[in-house]
Amino acid sequence: MIDDEQRTATDDRSHTRIERALVIAAHPDDIDFSCSGTVAVWSDAGVAVTYCLVTDGDAGGFDPAVPRSEIAGIRRAEQRAAAAHVGVEDLVFLGYPDGRLTVTLELRRDLARVIRQVRPDRVVVQRPVRDLASMYGSHPDHTAAGEAALCAVYPDARNPYAFPELADEGFAAHTVEEVWVIEEAAGEDPSAARDVDITATFDRKMAALRAHESQTAHMTGLEDMIGRWAGAQAKRARFPHGALVESFRALDTR
């Protein structure tokens, strides 16, 4: 088990301890761009982490010579390889179509099923609202996956009478203690900020990103770009110079 995040330069609180975490994302590679450094920190400390990928990223890729029919399988394999770099072996693929994700009752049910199966203490989700400062940070699949995941945490997974077919399948209701929203500012409540020092796991994060060859092989300056993002988060959170950080907003969902 692990304290739920490393201390920041401005945060001396103690925190609850977790044994299981579930990370929900729209596409293969979303987790590795956003929070796999944190996942590596948790895995190293003995937390069991599960990934749930809502789509197979079948609309992605940059090489027109690769048949579209092969992309989903390629991206699943890349995500498994990437996850191994940060200590994750348990992956769930829901197989929704890439680029057409919406917050349906079916998606909420499927995510609630995964939550009831994994029974995590913490769920990590993508930002459920559009960021007007970043088109790239507001892919509609991302916001849909984030909103559906939050709906699945509350009320769906915890309500024994929601989606009764899940109980019939043997999946009892489960209450998630907290949700971390990826790269979400804490707003007026600084106590909600969760800033994780990934300096020691940054190389493994980059190895995970490079495992997504169909998405990143053509990118130049990828490590510098990710380093700048993580460095900016560290500066905002007032970590020491040279530190690299991934940031979240925590929601108490007990």
Side-chain angles (χ1 to χ4, degrees), residues 35-86:
C35 65
S36 62
T38 296
V39 169
V41 170
W42 294 344
S43 296
D44 287 350
V47 176
V49 181
T50 297
Y51 286 175
C52 177
L53 289 309
V54 179
T55 83
D56 293 331
D58 52 285
F62 63 92
D63 185 354
V66 179
R68 285 288 103 193
S69 60
E70 296 181 9
I71 293 295
I74 289 170
R75 298 203 66 185
R76 285 193 182 205
E78 289 174 345
Q79 182 62 86
R80 291 190 183 96
H85 283 293
V86 294

Side-chain angles (χ1 to χ4, degrees), residues 159-235:
N159 182 354
Y161 306 110
F163 300 115
E165 62 269 33
L166 298 182
D168 293 342
E169 294 170 16
F171 302 122
H174 174 71
T175 298
V176 176
E177 293 186 4
E178 64 177 357
V179 168
W180 283 20
V181 182
I182 296 169
E183 296 180 353
E184 176 65 55
E188 297 179 358
D189 182 10
S191 67
R194 300 292 184 268
D195 300 297
V196 181
D197 189 334
I198 64 162
T199 311
T201 61
F202 183 75
D203 287 347
R204 288 159 63 196
K205 175 184 178 73
M206 292 309 306
L209 276 169
R210 293 189 188 99
H212 296 280
E213 293 183 13
S214 69
Q215 309 304 301
T216 63
H218 66 299
M219 292 184 178
T220 58
L222 178 62
E223 185 164 348
D224 288 342
M225 179 182 71
I226 300 299
R228 286 195 299 272
W229 287 349
Q233 295 291 349
K235 182 177 181 180

